[in-house]
Amino acid sequence: MKYILTLVLVQFFLFHAVAQEQEIPAKAVKQLNAAKECIGKQEYEDAITKLQKAVEVAPEFADAFMLLGDVYSYLEKFDNAIVSYLEVIRLDSNFNALVHFKTGVAAFRLGDYASAKAQFDEFLGSSGIMFDKKVKAQEYLGHCKFALKAKKNPVPFNPVNLGDSINSGLAEFHPALTADEHLLVYTVRLKKGKQVDEDFYITYKKDGKWAKAESMGPPTNTRMAEGALCISPDGRFIFFTACNRREGMGGCDIYVSERLGRSFGPPINLGEPINTPGWESQPSISADGKRLYFASNRKGGIGKKDIWVSLLDAGGHWGEPRNLGETINTRKDEKSPFIHPDGQTLYFASDGRVGMGGSDLYISRMSEGKWSKAVNLGFPINTQNDEISLVVSTDGQRAYFASDRVDGKGDLDLYSFVLHRNIRPQPVTYLKGNVYDKFSKEKIGALVELIDLETNMSVVVTRSDEQTGEFLVCLLSGKNYALNVEKVDYLFYSENFELTHKKDNIPYELYIPLKPMGVGATAILKNIFFELDSYELKTESKTELEILIDFMKYYSDVSIEIGGHTDSTGTQAHNLKLSEDRARSVYDYLIEKGIVKSRLGYKGFGDTSPIATNQTEKGRAENRRTEFKITGM
């Protein structure tokens, strides 16, 4: 919003040279000319002093007041600028229409939208105004009307400073959170003498409080600046921006670093087609790890900086980025995308739409494969200042952002606030798992796959940490999921998460003991489903059955027995027959799909081998199960 110095001077000579006809004392004119020389040398405070002397000598010197207002505007001292411009208007209402435009801009920057609107209306009612200024004034007028309406209808907003463990007298900004909100990474602007560096700091939450943040250190932090990061919801990867690196492809590129235990490994440049000779920055990774959103000024965009998305293919390579289109991008700048773990809600910053001024925050939702029209998050989330970035918790309740509010520790601080209902994402919860050897208790790095049972499509494929055994996957409300955990030379583990009727978003925590392969080892197939009191397999069982088939094909020397179990409801004879018929249904399916009959067997156990109480519905549900046991290797 600052004026370019040369334009200030050009405008002064064009619009002020003939504006004032009365005789001005030579001493005042001399101070005015001296002020121009100071401006040419970028000595703005000296220029202000000389202009103040000019108007002291000649209080009717409108030209001096006009240039004084311009210098104050350039320095973003808008209160002072308005005082100077109003003096011009008081002295001569016909001095030049441009004074109304400039007064309007200054008032707008202060958030005084009513005064700004009045000045822009006055300017647009003048004759002989330049076309580009007319267009700009109309644009400002649109902002003023929007802002006045927004201020009459404020949204709930009560930001809370994240405290001394995180914030300091330095600038803290661009927060990034894991899905469980137990790990926070953010950027700190460090001052080392005359040099400025930006590094990542990391903190963990314990007993509901953030521990004292510490520098992430090398190899992620370097002597050069790093910034604008995001973290995958499971905390395993950070994607961030680094500029002017030797191995870089352009001014700023996107890098990735993988976490093992509590340490992040060496950053890797994502290369083509993500990075170009242009500017790529501010990445945001989807919860499934398959879509990377980022801002770029690359060729083929709609505006100056646009938001793009790249899809990860089956081979683990990022595809050619696709522009998100005109419902998101404008002819100006769109930046700081944040894709919520629901995969359908995008928050971003834009200065190309009608808003409160500068850069505002917006929300767009995905519907039938298309992004909806962007909606302003409202006042006072957005103000006359630049709102740059926002991240939202997995449950959609809280948002985190940076601000230089007066109650801060100094410069930019990190804050959180409760997000009002109209701009919340779709409810999402998560599963935190810990994989280990059932007998040795050693942690295991295993393949973890989350599958949508309705579509039989893989939603997330990840791995548990080799050092800690931990993993995290997000679960979208309204879905029915199968979880499959695999490790070579172990029986696979399955779990079911039925969220189609779940009303709360309480996270799951799961300890997963993998059993080593061996004769007699058993595994429960928790995603085999039958119709009520029937042995007819439901279509949702296909996912688990295909996993079992793949297991049998991989371990071609293994033989298994399918076991059917029921709860204690009904007679023993009925339960025994039902369990045997259900085991045979799985047996028949495997044979139909090409598994050799000699490697298979089946048996019904009725209600004779419960693994939980039959006195509760939950216990009875656990007892109604299908298992397999290794009978030969």
Side-chain angles (χ1 to χ4, degrees), residues 6-31:
T6 54
L7 289 181
V8 170
L9 290 176
V10 167
Q11 288 177 350
F12 182 85
F13 288 123
L14 285 177
F15 299 112
H16 303 232
V18 296
Q20 198 155 0
E21 297 179 358
Q22 67 265 40
E23 190 69 29
I24 300 296
K27 187 176 179 180
V29 174
K30 183 178 180 181
Q31 292 291 345

Side-chain angles (χ1 to χ4, degrees), residues 242-253 255 269 275-276:
C243 303
N244 304 314
R245 296 286 179 91
R246 184 175 300 174
E247 74 282 4
M249 300 183 63
C252 292
D253 286 358
Y255 289 71
N269 188 302
N275 293 319
T276 69

Side-chain angles (χ1 to χ4, degrees), residues 211-255:
K212 185 67 176 176
E214 297 179 352
S215 172
M216 190 178 285
T220 310
N221 288 337
T222 68
R223 289 179 295 177
M224 303 180 73
E226 297 80 28
L229 89 159
C230 72
I231 191 165
S232 58
D234 61 4
R236 286 195 62 212
F237 296 92
I238 58 169
F239 294 81
F240 65 95
T241 308
C243 303
N244 304 314
R245 296 286 179 91
R246 184 175 300 174
E247 74 282 4
M249 300 183 63
C252 292
D253 286 358
I254 296 175
Y255 289 71

Side-chain angles (χ1 to χ4, degrees), residues 431-435 464 469-473 508-512:
L431 161 68
K432 287 181 73 172
N434 194 304
V435 187
S464 57
E470 296 174 349
F471 70 89
L472 185 150
V473 292
Y508 296 90
E509 189 168 357
L510 192 62
Y511 291 89
I512 301 173

Side-chain angles (χ1 to χ4, degrees), residues 126 149 225 270 292 323 376 496:
S126 304
K149 184 177 180 181
L270 288 185
L292 183 67
N323 191 287
N376 191 291
N496 175 255

Side-chain angles (χ1 to χ4, degrees), residues 436-440 444 487-492 513-522 630 633:
Y436 59 96
D437 185 294
K438 178 177 175 62
F439 302 109
S440 71
I444 294 176
K487 175 72 174 178
V488 174
D489 295 331
Y490 286 84
L491 296 185
F492 67 84
L514 292 188
K515 297 177 182 178
M517 296 279 290
V519 175
T522 62
I630 294 181
M633 291 181 67

Side-chain angles (χ1 to χ4, degrees), residues 4 35 79 96 213 235 284 356 390 423 543 551 572 586 607 630:
I4 298 173
D79 282 315
N96 191 283
S284 179
M356 302 296 297
L390 189 82
I423 56 174
T543 295
F551 175 85
Q572 286 188 336
V586 175
D607 57 12
I630 294 181

